[in-house]
Amino acid sequence: MFEFNDVKGNQVFLSFKQASFSIEARHVLVICRFQEKWLLTNHSVRGLEFPGGKVEDQENINETAFREVYEETGGIVQSLTFIGEYFIEDVDLGPFVKAIFFAHIDKLDVKADYMETGGPVLISDDILAKLPNPEFSFIMQDEVVLRALAKVKELGLI
């Protein structure tokens, strides 16, 4: 278990095991690869980030990951792997848990609407070399993404 503060000062606990916390994950963050590139989305308020969002009614966490990737990037998930989850003591929103997945994307559909985002953004080089960077969302700026990417590499997914 890793413990740190995010860029907003919230306490974060990161685990690479399922069901590590007393509350279940109701949000997702999906680290995506498409044709040997990182697939991100350009959130209209936060900037560049991996797709993600909240679980909707009657939806499980895996379905949420598939839906959020498609809504925000047009990406069709070929394979989805659980990486970990993190608990955030958010001072504004209250505590919540977000599941982290890794997805290989089969294809990108062109869509008229990408919800609250500007659609897909492909980055071909080392994403970590670009951080910190004001073009990227605060979500990309803390240890969650850094450690999750290291776990993805450790698992041989890329």
Side-chain angles (χ1 to χ4, degrees):
M1 179 90 61
F2 300 96
E3 181 181 346
F4 53 90
N5 289 337
D6 67 13
V7 295
K8 292 184 168 187
N10 298 313
Q11 191 171 24
V12 177
F13 300 89
L14 171 64
S15 172
F16 292 115
K17 295 178 183 175
Q18 284 186 301
S20 295
F21 305 105
S22 60
I23 58 176
E24 68 177 308
R26 302 291 297 159
H27 298 76
V28 297
L29 173 69
V30 188
I31 298 170
C32 299
R33 289 288 280 180
F34 175 67
Q35 297 180 347
E36 304 301 316
K37 296 178 181 166
W38 299 108
L39 173 62
L40 286 81
T41 190
N42 193 2
H43 190 277
S44 59
V45 174
R46 297 186 299 255
L48 297 173
E49 62 188 24
F50 287 116
K54 297 177 187 173
V55 173
E56 293 183 354
D57 291 339
Q58 307 301 315
E59 190 176 58
N60 68 45
I61 202 79
N62 288 28
E63 292 167 335
T64 301
F66 280 85
R67 178 183 51 78
E68 287 290 348
V69 169
Y70 187 76
E71 284 180 356
E72 295 182 0
T73 69
I76 306 294
V77 175
Q78 177 183 27
S79 65
L80 186 70
T81 304
F82 175 84
I83 299 300
E85 58 187 21
Y86 59 108
F87 177 93
I88 303 169
E89 285 280 356
D90 192 294
V91 294
D92 297 323
L93 304 173
F96 64 92
V97 175
K98 191 178 282 196
I100 308 164
F101 292 95
F102 176 77
H104 282 286
I105 305 303
D106 186 43
K107 70 175 191 165
L108 292 179
D109 284 349
V110 176
K111 298 173 47 185
D113 180 17
Y114 293 95
M115 305 302 278
E116 68 276 4
T117 78
V121 176
L122 294 169
I123 298 178
S124 58
D125 51 1
D126 183 7
I127 199 166
L128 297 177
K130 295 186 174 292
L131 300 174
N133 182 321
E135 292 179 14
F136 286 83
S137 163
F138 71 90
I139 294 169
M140 302 287 289
Q141 307 287 345
D142 64 35
E143 287 187 50
V144 168
V145 170
L146 175 72
R147 291 187 183 277
L149 286 169
K151 188 68 171 178
V152 164
K153 289 178 184 177
E154 176 187 317
L155 294 172
L157 296 169
I158 57 170

